[in-house]
Amino acid sequence: MTVPGPPREDVFADVAAAVLGPGPHSGADLLDVLAQMPAHPVDVVRAGDDLLPRLAHENGLEAALNAARLALRPGGLLVAAVPELDRLRRLRPTAPPPRVSGRGEARQVTVQLWDWAEDGSSYGLEVLQLARSAGRWELVRSVATRHQVLSKEQISEALTGAGFAAVQRLSPKEAGHPLPVWVAVAP
């Protein structure tokens, strides 16, 4: 699930261009790969912010990473933004700050609500999107999922276990994305 906000796909394209060089790169979203394997290998498979933790909770992370590797040409990249909430499991916050976009009547607010498991290993995530309409706030979209908390070590192990090479974690500052971005190369 991708929460509305600033364009994040540009960050994935920038990372791919930095590794693969300039030029057009064929790509696919991991969810699309899981729905239907591309007819031809692609240069880049992208995984949005909450996808890997959701797949991990559904016991589908290993199969999804294997599918991504098979969809890539040799030397192709998996680029994934993954929240690292393992340090928060002790605190179990109920929500991050709301995200506000637009101005005046075009303003929208996105709110996340977190419901942590007792042991802190997973959390439920509800995303509510509110928009102004006739001077009032209205709920325009609501999505709920459950995610496993993944540490840096677990993400690295999952990527190398799926057969990726040159696994690298880019900090938010390095990637220009609010979350760490993982880059892994298909053999």
Side-chain angles (χ1 to χ4, degrees):
M1 171 190 65
T2 302
V3 176
R8 292 194 172 113
E9 295 304 315
D10 294 341
V11 169
F12 294 161
D14 291 346
V15 169
V19 176
L20 298 174
H25 301 289
S26 62
D29 289 325
L30 181 54
L31 280 177
D32 295 334
V33 168
L34 295 174
Q36 181 175 345
M37 188 63 69
H40 303 287
V42 297
D43 297 316
V44 181
V45 172
R46 300 172 297 272
D49 299 4
D50 296 320
L51 184 56
L52 297 188
R54 181 170 57 92
L55 291 168
H57 180 75
E58 297 169 354
N59 295 317
L61 182 58
E62 182 179 344
L65 293 177
N66 285 329
R69 184 181 40 76
L70 292 173
L72 289 163
R73 68 162 174 80
L77 303 178
L78 170 67
V79 182
V82 184
E84 294 172 359
L85 302 177
D86 54 318
R87 291 186 188 147
L88 291 179
R89 74 173 73 204
R90 289 182 302 272
L91 302 173
R92 296 191 187 116
T94 57
R99 186 178 309 160
V100 179
S101 62
R103 299 180 141 243
E105 284 297 311
R107 200 168 28 168
Q108 292 189 348
V109 176
T110 303
V111 178
Q112 292 185 23
L113 304 172
W114 297 346
D115 183 23
W116 290 82
E118 280 296 317
D119 66 358
S121 65
S122 66
Y123 60 97
L125 171 67
E126 289 184 79
V127 179
L128 310 173
Q129 187 176 27
L130 306 167
R132 298 285 289 173
S133 177
R136 297 180 25 197
W137 288 103
E138 291 187 14
L139 180 64
V140 293
R141 190 174 126 194
S142 173
V143 178
T145 61
R146 190 130 195 104
H147 298 181
Q148 181 176 325
V149 174
L150 297 172
S151 67
K152 290 186 270 193
E153 295 78 20
Q154 288 172 308
I155 297 165
S156 180
E157 288 171 15
L159 291 167
T160 56
F164 285 99
V167 173
Q168 183 177 4
R169 177 192 176 275
L170 303 175
S171 71
K173 185 176 180 179
E174 293 170 315
H177 190 282
L179 299 174
V181 173
W182 289 82
V183 182
V185 179

